[in-house]
């Protein structure tokens, strides 16, 4: 005798759609963009098929393509012409990200939410996320905080709608919140990379952003992949300091962390579907080993199911086209 309850009854045709627990929408997507001061034409990132560095005069057109697909937000990463020990090309009024923000806002206004990554790794000649003591090879926490605050303010002055500090410096949310408030940007939200792990999945991003380290790694300030409880402590501190949205990075290897943070804090929660996650699926698809559209959708759906309210993903345009 079969049991009276047959689970397969609800897995046919339109019934399956009626009982579906999780849905993925274009409104869940944030599109990451690399804008490069050193180029005049788009340059494909060799380790990220389909992802390009863009010159500043093409970024608004790219943003419009995303907006036309219904994508509500983008996050900007800048690659400057000049890099130095302090990352001083991060906060100038006419530096690369500030130029890109104005280009996008002049073209699209409120039709595209512009978020900016706030970190120094793309701007320092040593590739680290903050000031460095070269004698001890230490990434110095406290001297970095004013630079992050200054960078965030410069982005918002240029027109950014939200800032997203990613450097994992202790106290960075408080420092940025104070600087924004002191400059009358009380209503600008902060999306904190609250639980950012020291991950090998970032490799292709560092190709795209030119932010490889000249010594050491980022394990002294990014989180140990073995730790889960620590993510709750990191996130609680960022919330206390004024974070409006919390983020987990990477996403797919850390679905348990997304779930824990969403359950614990019930805060708007972002997840970053990072470059390595993108590249490995692209490579498998190009070799005919996986169906690209299906694994793209399944991967992003799993991130949403784990608790993410929004997903930063290099698949944003492709996913938006598929959802339409």
């Amino acid at each position: 005798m079969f049991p009276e309850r047959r689970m397969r009854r609800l897995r046919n045709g339109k019934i399956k759609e009626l009982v579906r627990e999780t849905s993925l929408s274009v409104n869940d997507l944030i599109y990451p963009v690399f804008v490069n001061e050193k180029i005049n034409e788009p340059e494909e990132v060799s380790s990220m098929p389909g992802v390009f560095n863009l010159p500043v005069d093409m970024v608004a057109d790219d943003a419009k393509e995303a907006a036309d697909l219904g994508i509500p937000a983008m996050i900007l990463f800048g690659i400057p012409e000049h890099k130095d020990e302090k990352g001083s090309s991060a906060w100038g009024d006419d530096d690369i990200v500030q130029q890109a923000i104005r280009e996008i806002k002049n073209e699209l206004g409120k039709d595209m939410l512009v978020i900016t990554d706030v970190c120094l790794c793309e701007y320092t000649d040593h590739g680290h996320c903050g000031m460095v003591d070269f004698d001890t090879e230490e990434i110095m926490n406290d001297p970095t905080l004013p630079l992050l605050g200054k960078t965030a303010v410069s982005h918002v002055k240029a027109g950014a709608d939200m800032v997203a500090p990613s450097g994992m410096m202790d106290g960075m949310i408080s420092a940025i919140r104070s600087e924004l408030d002191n400059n009358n940007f009380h209503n600008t939200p902060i999306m904190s990379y609250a639980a950012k792990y020291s991950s090998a999945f970032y490799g292709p991003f560092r190709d795209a952003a030119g932010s490889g380290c000249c010594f050491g790694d980022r394990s002294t300030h990014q989180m140990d992949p073995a730790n889960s409880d620590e993510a709750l402590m990191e996130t609680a501190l960022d919330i206390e300091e004024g974070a409006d949205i919390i983020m987990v990075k990477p996403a797919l290897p850390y679905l348990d962390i997304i779930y824990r943070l969403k359950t614990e804090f019930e805060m708007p929660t972002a997840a970053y579907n990072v470059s390595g996650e993108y590249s490995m699926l692209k490579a498998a698809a190009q070799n005919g080993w996986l169906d690209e559209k299906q694994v793209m959708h399944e991967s992003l759906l799993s991130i949403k199911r784990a608790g993410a309210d929004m997903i930063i993903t290099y698949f944003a345009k492709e996913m938006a086209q598929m959802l339409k």
Side-chain angles (χ1 to χ4, degrees):
M1 293 289 293
F2 284 103
E4 288 189 15
R5 187 170 186 187
R6 293 178 179 251
M7 297 302 292
R8 289 179 59 183
R9 290 177 186 144
L10 301 182
R11 294 177 186 157
N12 289 311
K14 293 294 183 181
I15 297 174
K16 183 164 63 175
E17 296 176 17
L18 288 172
V19 300
R20 183 167 290 144
E21 299 171 27
T22 306
S23 61
L24 188 64
S25 162
V26 69
N27 290 322
D28 302 323
L29 306 176
I30 300 173
Y31 172 47
V33 173
F34 299 101
V35 57
N36 191 325
E37 195 171 25
K38 298 182 288 186
I39 61 176
N40 297 313
E41 298 290 336
E43 290 186 359
E44 189 170 25
V45 180
S46 60
S47 55
M48 298 177 71
V51 173
F52 292 81
N53 270 218
L54 298 175
V56 69
D57 60 359
M58 296 184 68
V59 72
D61 289 339
D62 190 52
K64 189 174 187 310
E65 285 181 16
D68 289 345
L69 288 166
I71 296 170
M74 62 193 303
I75 183 166
L76 287 176
F77 299 90
I79 300 97
E81 177 74 39
H82 171 73
K83 299 189 179 193
D84 60 27
E85 184 178 322
K86 295 177 69 173
S88 58
S89 294
W91 56 77
D93 289 343
D94 293 316
D95 283 330
I96 185 62
V97 164
Q98 292 79 356
Q99 290 182 52
I101 296 166
R102 288 193 291 268
E103 290 280 332
I104 296 163
K105 283 298 179 181
N106 287 340
E107 177 72 23
L108 293 173
K110 294 182 179 180
D111 291 338
M112 176 59 71
L113 181 81
V114 176
I115 308 166
T116 57
D117 177 77
V118 178
C119 189
L120 300 181
C121 63
E122 296 125 80
Y123 305 92
T124 55
D125 54 11
H126 47 72
H128 282 292
C129 300
M131 296 291 293
V132 169
D133 182 330
F134 286 95
D135 292 332
T136 62
E137 294 192 348
E138 177 191 357
I139 293 87
M140 297 185 291
N141 192 94
D142 292 9
T144 301
L145 299 181
L147 305 184
L148 296 177
K150 183 159 51 171
T151 300
V153 168
S154 74
H155 291 177
V156 180
K157 282 183 176 177
D161 300 293
M162 184 188 300
V163 293
S166 62
M168 289 295 283
M169 297 292 117
D170 292 337
M172 67 180 183
I173 303 303
S174 180
I176 290 170
R177 184 74 270 161
S178 294
E179 282 301 303
L180 290 174
D181 290 352
N182 290 340
N183 284 272
N184 295 316
F185 296 126
H186 308 281
N187 294 323
T188 301
I190 297 174
M191 174 192 283
S192 170
Y193 288 64
K196 181 178 179 181
Y197 283 84
S198 180
S199 172
F201 281 91
Y202 304 149
F205 174 94
R206 290 173 185 157
D207 289 342
S211 60
C213 304
C214 67
F215 65 85
D217 57 29
R218 292 172 170 85
S219 61
T220 63
H221 53 286
Q222 294 177 359
M223 286 181 54
D224 184 343
N227 294 352
S228 175
D229 290 344
E230 185 186 0
L232 273 69
M233 292 185 279
E234 280 278 11
T235 302
L237 287 169
D238 282 5
I239 293 169
E240 288 173 15
E241 292 177 19
D244 301 284
I245 299 171
I246 56 175
M247 188 198 297
V248 176
K249 180 182 180 184
L252 290 176
Y254 298 89
L255 295 176
D256 60 318
I257 306 302
I258 298 170
Y259 179 78
R260 288 196 70 184
L261 296 192
K262 186 63 178 178
T263 303
E264 176 73 19
F265 299 110
E266 298 181 338
M267 287 275 292
T269 302
Y272 201 141
N273 179 222
V274 300
S275 59
E277 298 169 51
Y278 171 88
S279 295
M280 68 182 182
L281 294 186
K282 279 285 184 181
Q286 288 181 347
N287 278 283
W289 299 334
L290 294 172
D291 182 299
E292 181 176 340
K293 287 186 176 181
Q294 289 193 27
V295 295
M296 171 180 68
H297 184 266
E298 186 177 341
S299 297
L300 298 183
L301 188 67
S302 75
I303 297 167
K304 184 82 185 293
R305 190 185 64 241
D309 301 293
M310 59 205 84
I311 305 169
I312 302 171
T313 178
Y314 302 97
F315 286 117
K317 281 186 174 180
E318 292 168 87
M319 192 72 251
Q321 288 170 338
M322 184 174 166
L323 290 170
K324 285 173 80 90

